[in-house]
Amino acid sequence: MTHVVTDNCIACKYTDCVEVCPVDCFHEGPNFLAIDPMECIDCTLCVAECPAEAIFAEDDVPAGQEHFLAINAELAPLWPVLAERIPALEDADRLNGTPNKLPMLKR
């Protein structure tokens, strides 16, 4: 099983989760993080560290956000690995909790 980054990460990109990942499965896009499903070892460490509460086990992805399984799998191989914490995006605190941010996703 893998973990999945979902909608609330878009335009926030907090990276607290990256610091605790033992296998460097996070990949950084312009305004979103993706988890490589081939690298994730299902350790669950990232879930508690996400200030946006945007990371879920694939079996626990909220209804209506299942498409993020495919989005993570598609984007992770295209983006560079992020292995250390960086500052969140400028509007992260303001946009944290805003629903339906998929149209804001920059690929």
Side-chain angles (χ1 to χ4, degrees):
M1 182 167 33
T2 187
H3 279 73
V4 181
V5 181
T6 59
D7 190 69
N8 202 40
C9 181
I10 298 170
C12 291
K13 199 168 86 173
Y14 296 106
T15 57
D16 307 58
C17 53
V18 171
E19 278 192 322
V20 298
C21 181
V23 294
D24 298 337
C25 67
F26 283 90
H27 293 256
E28 179 188 15
N31 71 342
F32 183 68
L33 298 176
I35 292 176
D36 186 336
M38 301 304 290
E39 297 294 325
C40 180
I41 60 170
D42 192 32
C43 69
T44 74
L45 294 173
C46 59
V47 176
E49 294 300 319
C50 179
E53 298 179 355
I55 303 173
F56 298 89
E58 66 182 311
D59 291 341
D60 297 330
V61 172
Q65 294 197 41
E66 297 88 350
H67 53 282
F68 279 95
L69 288 159
I71 291 171
N72 279 247
E74 171 198 343
L75 298 177
L78 303 176
W79 292 343
V81 170
L82 181 63
E84 58 188 46
R85 188 175 182 187
I86 60 172
L89 296 177
E90 184 176 318
D91 288 335
D93 291 339
R94 183 177 63 80
L95 293 171
N96 186 4
T98 300
N100 306 314
K101 294 193 283 183
L102 186 57
M104 298 170 69
L105 177 63
K106 296 177 183 176
R107 295 172 183 255

